[in-house]
Amino acid sequence: MILTVTLNTALDVTYTVDALVPHGSHRVGDVTERPGGKGLNVARVLGALGHDCVVTGFAGGPTGDVLRSLLAPLPPRDALVPVAGNTRRTLAITDRSTGDTTQLNEPGPQVSPAEWAAFLRTYEELVAGAEAVALCGSLPPGIHVGAYAELVRIARAAAVPVLLDTSDEPLRRGIAARPDLVKPNAEELARLTGSREPLRAARDARRRGAHSVIASLGPEGVLAVTPDGVWRAAPPAPVRGNPTGAGDSAVAGLLSALAEGLDWPERLARAVALSTATVLAPTAGDFDAAAYAELLPRVTVEPHTPTP
């Protein structure tokens, strides 16, 4: 079983319009709702890949009820912890004329100390039966900034590999707890390390405690700095579409390949193919299965040699 943690779950709402015009009135074409938040997106992709997956985190209020009802028929199993506050919504507006997406993210609900304690009890029970753990996304109000560091230490104490995908101070503190893998994007790495050169920043992140660092470079693929070597992985060609959830699909690719015992080049190829196939999907958080199958053997994975 793979466990994904989403402390700040969301109900993802996607609107599709012919053309998004600032200050204008728009007639919405398609509307979709689905359980969201980074860890839930990861779990949905893992389920589609055939992996047994459990999701935990927080859900509450009327929006949380809708989220859980939409989650019920999906492969990931629901181990979300109830809170008194209302789960947030995220709104994605997709412009058909350009293929671009505009995203609006609400804040999460306030989490009380008692609710956090209840979550920790659930998390410790689930980690005991997990083969890997993903800690994903932002922290809702009320959760202390070292929360992910605490969760990393619990997973490590149970000898369960743990991946951390967050940003800013939660990332800084989480890395110090020595997760097995972190997956920041280039901007998150720059804010963490002060360097905008991805290789230098990724190496700095390893020195801060991360066992391996997979730096997302957007349409250019990923840079991996691991104890076994440094690689660059890239799709065969840039694609246009909705990037929402692409990073989460990359996390799912890394976790699924880890669970299957694949080597680093195979892990990176899967991550990049899934990420690119998600950009091509019409709905946020999905991946295009046919595109994934076509892309996987065409992803370029090469040892990375820095330019002198």
Side-chain angles (χ1 to χ4, degrees):
M1 176 267 284
I2 298 176
L3 175 64
T4 73
V5 175
T6 312
L7 297 178
N8 209 7
T9 57
L11 179 65
D12 287 345
V13 182
T14 302
Y15 288 168
T16 303
V17 298
D18 290 334
L20 183 62
V21 181
H23 314 297
S25 177
H26 299 79
R27 189 175 298 277
V28 176
D30 300 321
V31 181
T32 61
E33 291 184 336
R34 65 180 51 221
K38 294 177 74 64
L40 268 69
N41 292 338
V42 171
R44 185 165 52 244
V45 175
L46 286 168
L49 293 172
H51 285 270
D52 180 28
C53 191
V54 175
V55 296
T56 191
F58 296 107
T63 306
D65 291 342
V66 174
L67 184 153
R68 298 186 85 160
S69 70
L70 294 171
L71 184 61
L74 299 178
R77 288 180 281 147
D78 177 358
L80 295 169
V81 175
V83 291
N86 195 34
T87 295
R88 68 190 179 121
R89 295 169 297 174
T90 67
L91 177 62
I93 305 172
T94 299
D95 184 330
R96 283 199 185 98
S97 67
T98 63
D100 293 334
T101 298
T102 299
Q103 187 126 352
L104 305 173
N105 297 329
E106 295 180 353
Q110 184 79 22
V111 177
S112 71
E115 289 165 343
W116 174 246
F119 167 78
L120 284 178
R121 290 191 294 271
T122 297
Y123 177 72
E124 289 175 345
E125 292 172 2
L126 292 169
V127 165
E131 55 189 316
V133 177
L135 308 174
C136 303
S138 61
L139 299 178
I143 299 297
H144 66 95
V145 74
Y148 281 134
E150 183 176 1
L151 301 183
V152 168
R153 286 191 289 269
I154 291 170
R156 287 184 58 81
V160 177
V162 57
L163 181 152
L164 177 62
D165 184 14
T166 188
S167 60
D168 299 324
E169 192 61 21
L171 175 61
R172 188 182 309 277
R173 298 201 186 193
I175 278 182
R178 306 187 66 80
D180 296 271
L181 178 62
V182 294
K183 196 210 67 65
N185 60 36
E187 182 59 34
E188 290 163 349
L189 260 183
R191 292 200 300 268
L192 173 71
T193 66
S195 174
R196 292 196 169 273
E197 200 289 303
L199 180 58
R200 183 180 297 113
R203 284 176 167 160
D204 187 352
R206 279 204 72 217
R207 286 191 293 270
R208 291 167 184 257
H211 191 63
S212 298
V213 179
I214 311 302
S216 174
L217 306 178
E220 297 178 10
V222 299
L223 170 69
V225 180
T226 81
D228 300 323
V230 179
W231 288 274
R232 281 289 303 267
V239 298
R240 295 190 64 183
N242 185 350
T244 303
D248 304 329
S249 290
V251 170
L254 293 168
L255 281 175
S256 63
L258 171 66
E260 294 168 27
L262 302 183
D263 61 19
W264 273 111
E266 291 175 295
R267 295 183 202 180
L268 299 173
R270 182 176 293 185
V272 170
L274 280 169
S275 178
T276 306
T278 300
V279 174
L280 294 170
T283 304
D286 273 343
F287 73 93
D288 185 315
Y292 167 63
E294 190 272 334
L295 285 162
L296 184 58
R298 299 174 59 214
V299 172
T300 301
V301 184
E302 298 176 337
H304 181 62
T305 304
T307 302

